[in-house]
Amino acid sequence: MTDLNFNAVTSTEMNYGKDRPKAANPIKIQDLSLRDGHQSLFATRGRTEDMIPVAEMMDEVGFWAVETWGGATFDTMHRFLNEDPWERLRTLKRYMKKTPFSMLLRAQNLVGYRNYADDLAKVFVERTAANGLDVFRTFDALNDYRNFETVVKAIKECGKHFQGCICYTMTEPRLGGEVYNLEYYVKKAKDLESMGADSICIKDMAGLIAPYDAYQLVKALKAAVKPPIHLHTHFTSGMAPMSILKAIEAGIDIVDTCMSPYAYRTSHAAIEPLVMSLIGTNRDTGFDIAFLAKINEIFEKEVMPKYRHLLDDSKMSIIDINVLLHQTPGGMLSNLVNQLREMDALDKIDLVYKELPRVRKDLGQIPLVTPTSQIVGIQTVNNVLFDTPEERYKMITGQVKDLCYGLYGKTAVPINPEVQKKALKGYARGEEPITCRPAQVLEPELEKAKKEIGDLAKDIDDQVLYAIYPVTGKKFLSWKYGKEAPPKEVLPKTLEDVKAEQELIKKLKAGKLVEKVEKELPPKSDKLRTFNVFVEGDYFEVGVDEVGESPVLKYIQQIPVAAAPAAAGPAGAPGLRPSAPARPAAPAPKAASPAPKPAAAPAAAPKAAPADVAGTPIKAPMPGMIVRYAKNVGDAVNQGDTVVILEAMKMENALNALASGTIKAINFKSGDSVAKNDVLCVIG
Ligand code: CO
């Protein structure tokens, strides 16, 4: 019996509490609040300390599993939160001893954005299992299961649960068409079954699955394969609760939900309405709804206030029908909007929507899920911003080149040969694309990474973290071991911060805050001296500069201040800044300092070329982070040579010399954040 039976119990037996009669075939629930929930709503900024207050209670609910790790958490934690991702697993495991932990594993991409070599993939899975992970929800963005081979072998060897995903995507308004039809999904499910999948997940990252398609698909998969079927869908378009219900009617085994504070918008359906909907049926969850409400109260009081500012409140509607029109997954839309905003090009969003399906088609109709959603998304933004009527694909990201080479796997339909040819012109691995399992062309990388990071890594977990994220991983390890002080952006927001902010807003609304008039500041001389002046528990840095005969106060700057525009002299000493206008910060309680930006790395102020270096500059075409310079000062370059690799929105962009000559100046180093138009280097 798979269909819902509404008459399983009589109304007199119905009971909201957990002592009600057990259902014949209870639906199993995986909770996503602690991973996909905050990844979808709060830019993955959820901190371990905010999971602990509810961890023990959540362990009592009766979830099939709780998703606590993987996806973007590994990246965000070490990059933006100064948290060791491995430590989160160990810590939560101490509080949640009964419920299995699950993670989202990007197959050969692990928890990063490219295919890693087999040696690293194997050790990553082993370390993840050793640190407490039980269910490995594994997906490949191209549904190319050759990318599963290495990790699945390791998962099985560790005796853990291998959940194989089929990324759900469409080219038509509903399930069907030539590429992604019912036969496609059934075939993929059979492939997963033959790989030894312990369960099979329909992974609908964009919330595209319509209720009746869900019904039809689940029926077909249940008839075709033995492993339990699991539905993962996002609320984004508004269809998720309906689709989940239809999937349950079709006999699905497991579904994903969030606790209500983490539900809806680009996240997932909430658990509470589902519990109520199924009470008294043969699919009753058996969950105690009053107990769930208690957990929510803790979330609402102790956790949510710290994250509210990260919620996208630009619209009233919690549903994004653009998703139905453009098939963009939850996180991707906000990334695109952020990227355009940083480039002052938000007005081009409609062009981006129009270009997106064209780029996707050119790139082989690939599903849009991390990392392909970023690859397609950022290439689309690049095309809209940099293409000319004469030339398309003017700035091709490194990742699109990799995709065209076959490094991500086989696309559902062939890549547009013209785009492929252009992308692979001069491509370092070769201009002829590969057709084998991508990792076969990758050299082992873990030992090399161990040598590079040396003593800064204290154990294998540090080494793996560095191997996956060399630039930000190294930065994190130097914070972790006290070699470098972490910047204030990575500090947690406290409830006191929230209170101070609210008071400030109250004052503002009452008209008690006055705007400070901005003054033109005279240039600072080399005689400038700075003093700390303490005023009632607050302090100000005061610069004193001598003008004429007596010292005169020149500027007042509150600490901490936002980065003021500064010249990019290699020394960077304050005295060397030529007429840098220090913006006077409006006096405000320190606790109310601006919160870290949710998306990209904090943007640095534009930097000019040092006055003494003449030549042709290479400017950052977009805000981002320097991955590396391919040349050193003094190197000769030819026009078109790659000089610097800039990471923007996690995509690598090779910036080429606009003129031949010699590298005269290099103004940044690996790991530095740069703003649009920063001069990265000068060729003379
Ligand atoms: Co998801």
Side-chain angles (χ1 to χ4, degrees):
M1 149 109 52
T2 52
D3 281 358
L4 266 184
N5 176 356
F6 296 98
N7 303 314
V9 285
T10 65
S11 57
T12 50
E13 290 171 292
M14 271 208 231
N15 176 341
Y16 294 162
K18 60 178 183 291
D19 53 343
R20 64 184 182 268
K22 198 175 179 304
N25 179 24
I27 182 78
K28 296 181 181 73
I29 308 284
Q30 170 168 267
D31 178 82
L32 306 177
S33 309
L34 306 184
R35 204 283 298 179
D36 211 348
H38 71 91
Q39 177 169 331
S40 299
L41 296 187
F42 308 125
T44 330
R45 296 304 197 270
R47 287 177 185 269
T48 309
E49 63 187 46
D50 293 324
M51 301 173 182
I52 291 172
V54 292
E56 280 172 334
M57 288 172 85
M58 286 187 70
D59 199 25
E60 298 296 327
V61 172
F63 292 120
W64 176 77
V66 281
E67 195 189 40
T68 51
W69 215 65
T73 60
F74 196 94
D75 180 3
T76 311
M77 288 176 74
H78 84 277
R79 190 189 294 248
F80 296 121
L81 306 179
N82 188 19
E83 269 197 53
D84 189 331
W86 304 105
E87 183 57 42
R88 172 171 297 175
L89 269 181
R90 296 190 294 266
T91 302
L92 288 180
K93 207 70 190 178
R94 287 201 292 274
Y95 293 89
M96 305 172 97
K97 296 193 162 78
K98 289 188 279 195
T99 315
F101 278 11
S102 77
M103 76 168 290
L104 184 64
L105 178 66
R106 296 166 180 162
Q108 199 86 24
N109 287 355
L110 306 180
V111 283
Y113 305 92
R114 65 170 173 90
N115 274 325
Y116 295 94
D118 286 336
D119 65 330
L120 179 56
K122 181 173 185 289
V123 173
F124 176 81
V125 169
E126 288 167 359
R127 291 310 308 154
T128 304
N131 276 292
L133 209 284
D134 306 289
V135 177
F136 287 77
R137 168 176 284 180
T138 309
F139 81 94
D140 175 69
L142 303 186
N143 285 331
D144 182 346
Y145 296 145
R146 294 173 307 170
N147 290 327
F148 277 26
E149 286 172 19
T150 302
V151 291
V152 167
K153 193 161 169 269
I155 295 165
K156 291 280 178 187
E157 276 168 8
C158 293
K160 299 297 181 181
H161 183 116
F162 158 47
Q163 177 169 91
C165 288
I166 313 169
C167 293
Y168 185 81
T169 190
M170 308 184 302
T171 55
E172 316 294 318
R174 287 275 301 270
L175 177 66
E178 276 172 25
V179 190
Y180 299 109
N181 47 37
L182 209 50
E183 296 73 57
Y184 173 89
Y185 292 107
V186 168
K187 184 186 174 299
K188 289 291 167 188
K190 285 183 169 166
D191 289 349
L192 290 174
E193 183 176 38
S194 64
M195 290 186 87
D198 299 298
S199 56
I200 291 172
C201 175
I202 305 162
K203 179 178 159 58
D204 175 25
M205 48 282 167
L208 299 173
I209 200 164
Y212 292 110
D213 290 341
Y215 185 88
Q216 199 188 4
L217 182 56
V218 171
K219 277 270 180 207
L221 296 187
K222 286 300 289 177
V225 296
K226 285 203 185 67
I229 307 294
H230 192 151
L231 176 62
H232 173 83
T233 180
H234 284 252
F235 180 76
T236 324
S237 69
M239 293 191 291
M242 295 184 275
S243 300
I244 287 174
L245 201 61
K246 290 308 290 183
I248 292 172
E249 286 184 17
I252 199 151
D253 301 277
I254 316 159
V255 295
D256 282 347
T257 60
C258 274
M259 301 295 295
S260 58
Y262 287 93
Y264 302 120
R265 301 182 185 268
T266 52
S267 183
H268 309 271
I271 178 59
E272 300 84 356
L274 188 66
V275 172
M276 287 303 279
S277 305
L278 296 174
I279 279 183
T281 72
N282 63 332
R283 304 304 310 270
D284 190 339
T285 58
F287 290 0
D288 180 349
I289 195 153
F291 186 66
L292 294 172
K294 270 189 205 156
I295 300 175
N296 285 338
E297 206 180 314
I298 298 174
F299 272 133
E300 286 288 355
K301 281 196 184 136
E302 297 177 24
V303 180
M304 290 304 129
K306 302 183 197 174
Y307 295 91
R308 195 187 302 273
H309 66 288
L310 294 166
L311 204 63
D312 177 12
D313 56 0
S314 57
K315 280 190 301 186
M316 277 295 279
S317 173
I318 64 163
I319 289 168
D320 194 337
I321 53 163
N322 270 320
V323 169
L324 298 174
L325 303 172
H326 308 294
Q327 304 197 348
T328 39
M332 180 183 181
L333 257 182
S334 53
N335 276 347
L336 287 177
V337 168
N338 279 338
Q339 176 81 344
L340 286 173
R341 189 180 290 136
E342 293 203 9
M343 306 276 297
D344 285 328
L346 209 49
D347 55 316
K348 296 207 163 67
I349 187 79
D350 285 335
L351 291 174
V352 167
Y353 284 144
K354 236 163 112 183
E355 178 72 3
L356 192 75
R358 290 169 67 191
V359 172
R360 184 184 178 207
K361 197 168 174 205
D362 284 340
L363 298 180
Q365 261 340 342
I366 49 183
L368 298 178
V369 58
T370 307
T372 48
S373 53
Q374 274 91 341
I375 294 173
V376 173
I378 302 308
Q379 188 58 52
T380 302
V381 171
N382 279 4
N383 284 8
V384 167
L385 294 180
F386 304 117
D387 281 4
T388 57
E390 298 78 42
E391 190 184 356
R392 269 171 64 68
Y393 290 91
K394 248 191 128 155
M395 189 179 296
I396 301 183
T397 66
Q399 280 72 9
V400 166
K401 292 176 186 181
D402 294 343
L403 178 76
C404 288
Y405 184 66
L407 219 48
Y408 286 91
K410 192 170 180 284
T411 52
V413 298
I415 294 174
N416 177 341
E418 258 176 65
V419 175
Q420 191 167 31
K421 209 173 150 214
K422 176 157 193 191
L424 293 181
K425 194 166 177 291
Y427 181 73
R429 292 176 188 274
E431 298 194 347
E432 213 35 59
I434 55 165
T435 54
C436 62
R437 183 179 73 93
Q440 263 163 7
V441 302
L442 301 178
E443 294 293 326
E445 55 184 310
L446 185 56
E447 290 310 314
K448 193 170 148 266
K450 283 182 186 173
K451 277 199 195 90
E452 276 170 18
I453 191 65
D455 289 345
L456 190 53
K458 301 280 183 256
D459 56 25
I460 181 72
D461 291 346
D462 286 346
Q463 289 166 334
V464 169
L465 185 144
Y466 170 78
I468 297 175
Y469 285 104
V471 180
T472 53
K474 189 174 178 185
K475 221 189 262 184
F476 168 75
L477 291 176
S478 62
W479 298 338
K480 180 177 171 184
Y481 295 113
K483 307 272 182 227
E484 228 179 88
K488 67 174 169 45
E489 287 89 358
V490 305
L491 297 176
K493 189 169 186 169
T494 64
L495 285 176
E496 286 73 48
D497 293 340
V498 174
K499 220 174 130 202
E501 266 180 11
Q502 283 167 346
E503 272 162 22
L504 206 64
I505 292 167
K506 235 168 140 183
K507 268 192 191 168
L508 184 71
K509 282 184 175 164
K512 286 182 181 164
L513 280 187
V514 276
E515 211 174 319
K516 193 161 176 178
V517 183
E518 292 207 15
K519 279 182 262 177
E520 267 296 313
L521 295 175
K524 290 175 227 164
S525 81
D526 54 2
K527 296 192 186 73
L528 179 91
R529 297 172 66 199
T530 55
F531 298 87
N532 285 335
V533 177
F534 297 85
V535 184
E536 289 178 28
D538 208 343
Y539 83 102
F540 301 87
E541 186 184 293
V542 178
V544 178
D545 206 346
E546 209 166 323
V547 178
E549 274 135 48
S550 55
V552 175
L553 278 186
K554 278 303 172 198
Y555 73 104
I556 296 174
Q557 219 172 22
Q558 173 138 31
I559 306 296
V561 292
L576 296 177
R577 292 175 191 170
S579 67
R583 203 174 297 131
K590 246 184 298 177
S593 61
K597 285 172 87 178
K607 295 179 180 67
D612 54 331
V613 180
T616 312
I618 295 183
K619 290 184 184 176
M622 59 196 83
M625 185 185 77
I626 302 288
V627 177
R628 65 182 173 275
Y629 282 90
K631 305 280 177 189
N632 295 311
V633 173
D635 285 359
V637 289
N638 291 317
Q639 189 182 345
D641 283 358
T642 297
V643 178
V644 50
I645 312 286
L646 177 70
E647 187 201 84
M649 303 300 288
K650 291 158 192 157
M651 295 298 120
E652 289 183 6
N653 298 277
L655 305 181
N656 300 336
L658 302 170
S660 301
T662 309
I663 305 282
K664 293 285 184 209
I666 281 180
N667 295 340
F668 295 92
K669 58 181 193 317
S670 174
D672 282 352
S673 294
V674 296
K676 188 184 173 184
N677 287 333
D678 273 359
V679 174
L680 307 182
C681 70
V682 180
I683 300 162

